Amino acid sequence: MKLGDHYQNILFSYLIEPIDSTDKDVGDRFTFKQLVGVFQCYISKRISLHSASTGYSPNNDALIADATKCLSMLYKMNEEGRYISYTDFYNSTINEHIDIKEDFPNYKDKKGFSFCDYPFTLSPSIKADVIKVESVFQMRHELQDAFFRALFQGVNSPYLVLEIHRDNIIADTLTQLEEKSIHDLKKQLRVQFLGEEGVDEGGVQKEFFQLIVRELFDPKYGMFSFNEESRLCWFTSNPSPDEINIREYKLVGLLLGLAVYNSVILDLHFPLALYKKLMNVDTTLADLRQLDPSLGKGLERLLYFNGNVELEYDRFFQVDIELHGHIFTYDLKQRGQEYPLTDESKEEFVELYTQFILDKSVRKQFEAFQEGFQLVCQDSAIKIFRPEEVEQLICGSSDLDFEALELSTVYDGGWTKESKIIKYFWEIVHSFTYEEKKKLLFFATGSDRAPIGGLSKLQFVIAKNGGDSDRLPTSHTCYNVLLLCEYSSKEKLKERLMTSISNAEGFGMI
């Protein structure tokens, strides 16, 4: 018998109802967590027990499928009741044993059981791997297609090639991307800075994204406003942006989509609200408070104010917005000037104010941004991510665990983890400040942030670059390779390394 959603909720509500608890809320949470734990434990133990069996796959195990479907019911309830953290639904055993090359085709073709249909069980790093597998498959398809078209239609580049002048990066990028078809955008990106040598194997595109993001978010363009308190950016409030602005917002969204598709981490500082809107999740006052703490706290104080609201606040259902040095007044609802803020209407006022800032005042800008993003990501596996995970996917993590990086580093050219220089290197690096570690990471990889899943996922390589020398350390940012000479002393290694990482701006690396 198959229960509908309504009856599933009734059943699980009954199961988590505390038998005897003086605090029903605490009882609900505790009982709910226990119930989730029962299914998680069953799934983990069953997979662990059978994983050594020849030919065993969790995807073909009906009992695993049934237990996962039960977890799905609980997950839906948790999204409404917020009993526990969504991260409690991640299952480490599933993440260790999932075969993405088997699971993902099931998901795409809707054949058989797939954990991607129950993405709450998958960690962000596994979901990032799913995105990579999908992107590589699509790139190969476009590559083959380009070769076949070239046979019948003449020259057809197998790559998405952008030829950019450094001093005209936004205009060049906008013009060239607008000329590309959807098929072109799904090709692997190759960037060429005109007048410069070098083949883009990944490092040039990292620098390209870094430069264009910095340019687009520069205050001189006025596309985004920066909140000094939260250190976060948001679309500049303008209910009537011009056509040029709309094109540029679409470009920013497209660049985000291309970064996801090409596995490039961006240095962005948006609030969670942006990623919620991208994933069509409603925003709340908590999101406004993250973006603008003072405004958010002020609206919260209004909600809990016990005095005479109309007398104390003396305002109507209107909001003032500063744009280009002028103050403009907008109604929060039709004929807002006729509706005073009162104790009875304060909840409506706060809700409309929140939605004005996060939605109404920036709707055209965001819709253009979302349109650009969806040109690349609309039908992709991005839909299996939560908004919090999309943020991690695009921006990486600022948590730099260099102990984990050391454990996962690979050595080449004669170095081993026991080499004297390598031991010196890690002693020096572990003594670095956080800012110095960011500089080293940027110098070696082209980004100062960790990928989703942490630095252990970086695939970092340290290669030997000859004997003792006065040459500075260099790097192949395309492949996350750091090249070190066999310096004669720890002091010399540190001096040479510090010189390199302190002058790593631009694509001065190999």
Side-chain angles (χ1 to χ4, degrees):
M1 182 177 72
K2 184 176 181 180
L3 294 176
D5 288 346
H6 175 67
Y7 291 105
Q8 289 175 10
N9 288 339
I10 291 176
L11 172 61
F12 279 100
S13 294
Y14 170 77
L15 289 174
I16 68 169
E17 184 71 27
I19 297 172
D20 181 21
S21 175
T22 54
D23 188 333
K24 185 178 184 300
D25 184 57
V26 172
D28 281 353
R29 293 176 188 277
F30 178 73
T31 310
F32 188 88
K33 189 164 188 173
Q34 281 189 316
L35 191 55
V36 170
V38 168
F39 288 106
Q40 292 281 41
C41 186
Y42 174 78
I43 291 171
S44 297
K45 287 189 174 181
R46 184 167 178 83
I47 292 176
S48 298
L49 182 65
H50 294 282
S51 60
S53 303
T54 303
Y56 175 78
S57 168
N59 294 75
N60 298 325
D61 190 328
L63 293 178
I64 293 295
D66 288 341
T68 305
K69 291 172 184 176
C70 288
L71 269 182
S72 179
M73 300 178 210
L74 290 169
Y75 179 76
K76 290 175 183 176
M77 287 186 65
N78 192 62
E79 286 296 278
E80 295 179 6
R82 304 294 177 187
Y83 300 104
I84 59 178
S85 169
Y86 68 88
T87 60
D88 288 330
F89 285 88
Y90 295 155
N91 186 292
S92 58
T93 307
I94 292 175
N95 287 286
E96 288 171 12
H97 291 87
I98 186 173
D99 183 351
I100 295 174
K101 292 181 180 179
E102 175 189 8
D103 192 273
F104 184 64
N106 286 356
Y107 169 73
K108 290 293 282 187
D109 300 334
K110 301 190 183 302
K111 295 179 180 178
F113 176 81
S114 167
F115 287 108
C116 287
D117 285 315
Y118 306 90
F120 55 84
T121 63
L122 304 179
S123 68
S125 59
I126 290 295
K127 292 175 184 176
D129 289 340
V130 170
I131 284 277
K132 287 179 183 177
V133 167
E134 180 182 45
S135 297
V136 168
F137 176 82
Q138 184 69 38
M139 287 175 185
R140 286 176 180 169
H141 173 77
E142 295 299 337
L143 185 66
Q144 293 169 352
D145 196 43
F147 282 127
F148 281 120
R149 283 201 300 270
L151 293 175
F152 301 100
Q153 301 174 12
V155 177
N156 188 2
S157 175
Y159 300 106
L160 170 59
V161 180
L162 298 179
E163 297 179 329
I164 306 296
H165 293 91
R166 281 184 181 269
D167 58 358
N168 200 36
I169 189 169
I170 291 179
D172 284 354
T173 303
L174 187 62
T175 300
Q176 292 178 44
L177 286 179
E178 285 182 331
E179 296 173 350
K180 304 299 183 183
S181 68
I182 297 296
H183 285 292
D184 289 330
L185 296 175
K186 292 296 183 76
K187 296 174 181 177
Q188 188 173 359
L189 179 63
R190 289 283 186 268
V191 177
Q192 172 68 53
F193 285 115
L194 294 176
E196 300 179 21
E197 296 182 2
V199 177
D200 185 9
E201 295 293 343
V204 180
Q205 67 174 247
K206 288 180 183 178
E207 191 198 5
F208 162 74
F209 278 110
Q210 174 208 352
L211 293 175
I212 195 167
V213 164
R214 182 188 300 170
E215 191 87 357
L216 286 165
F217 284 81
D218 192 302
K220 69 183 180 183
Y221 280 100
M223 293 178 64
F224 299 95
S225 56
F226 182 74
N227 187 284
E228 292 289 347
E229 189 177 1
S230 67
R231 314 294 294 174
L232 295 173
C233 293
W234 193 241
F235 303 91
T236 297
S237 295
N238 181 2
S240 303
D242 60 35
E243 187 60 33
I244 294 176
N245 282 145
I246 292 299
R247 290 175 65 215
E248 290 175 338
Y249 283 117
K250 183 177 178 180
L251 171 63
V252 179
L254 177 53
L255 287 170
L256 255 72
L258 288 173
V260 169
Y261 190 67
N262 289 273
S263 302
V264 177
I265 295 173
L266 300 181
D267 183 23
L268 298 180
H269 302 275
F270 283 120
L272 182 60
L274 175 89
Y275 306 101
K276 281 187 170 184
K277 288 168 71 67
L278 274 179
M279 304 303 288
N280 298 313
V281 175
D282 291 338
T283 54
T284 66
L285 178 57
D287 296 306
L288 178 58
R289 181 170 177 170
Q290 183 196 15
L291 171 63
D292 190 333
S294 293
L295 176 58
K297 290 174 185 175
L299 292 174
E300 285 179 346
R301 280 195 296 270
L302 168 60
L303 288 175
Y304 293 106
F305 184 73
N306 291 321
N308 188 322
V309 171
E310 189 170 2
L311 183 64
E312 181 70 23
Y313 282 83
D314 188 27
R315 65 177 301 164
F316 295 83
F317 272 63
Q318 293 181 312
V319 59
D320 294 330
I321 296 294
E322 182 180 351
L323 185 65
H324 306 312
H326 300 282
I327 300 296
F328 296 88
T329 300
Y330 296 95
D331 290 335
L332 292 178
K333 64 180 184 180
Q334 195 169 8
R335 300 192 310 277
Q337 76 277 6
E338 299 177 8
Y339 294 91
L341 172 60
T342 66
D343 190 59
E344 292 75 20
S345 65
K346 63 183 181 183
E347 289 188 10
E348 180 189 14
F349 178 86
V350 169
E351 182 178 350
L352 291 175
Y353 200 123
T354 299
Q355 292 312 309
F356 181 84
I357 298 298
L358 297 180
D359 180 29
K360 190 175 179 181
S361 68
V362 297
R363 184 171 294 164
K364 291 182 179 179
Q365 297 92 313
F366 175 75
E367 286 176 350
F369 175 92
Q370 187 175 44
E371 181 185 354
F373 183 78
Q374 290 181 340
L375 284 173
V376 183
C377 296
Q378 184 168 22
D379 297 319
S380 77
I382 196 78
K383 64 185 70 172
I384 71 175
F385 285 71
R386 290 178 59 94
E388 299 89 344
E389 297 166 339
V390 174
E391 181 178 16
Q392 292 180 54
L393 178 69
I394 293 174
C395 303
S397 170
S398 59
D399 181 17
L400 305 182
D401 184 353
F402 271 71
E403 300 285 351
L405 181 63
E406 180 180 0
L407 290 173
S408 63
T409 295
V410 174
Y411 302 97
D412 193 21
W415 293 136
T416 71
K417 65 179 181 179
E418 300 300 328
S419 300
K420 185 185 295 186
I421 285 293
I422 297 302
K423 289 184 176 181
Y424 286 160
F425 173 80
W426 289 115
E427 288 173 8
I428 292 166
V429 169
H430 290 314
S431 71
F432 277 178
T433 65
Y434 178 73
E435 289 301 318
E436 288 169 339
K437 288 177 179 178
K438 286 177 64 177
K439 287 181 179 180
L440 171 62
L441 200 59
F442 178 79
F443 173 74
T445 71
S447 172
D448 63 3
R449 297 177 68 85
I452 192 168
L455 286 180
S456 62
K457 299 288 185 180
L458 190 58
Q459 299 179 330
F460 185 53
V461 179
I462 301 179
K464 191 171 183 177
N465 195 27
D468 183 33
S469 170
D470 289 335
R471 287 179 297 168
L472 294 170
T474 54
S475 62
H476 293 290
T477 56
C478 318
Y479 306 109
N480 303 326
V481 176
L482 176 65
L483 295 100
L484 295 177
C485 297
E486 192 170 7
Y487 297 109
S488 57
S489 68
K490 181 178 178 179
E491 292 71 27
K492 185 174 182 180
L493 169 61
K494 183 174 183 178
E495 184 274 328
R496 297 281 79 189
L497 187 62
M498 289 298 295
T499 301
S500 287
I501 68 174
S502 299
N503 296 275
E505 184 68 26
F507 195 69
M509 294 72 80
I510 295 176

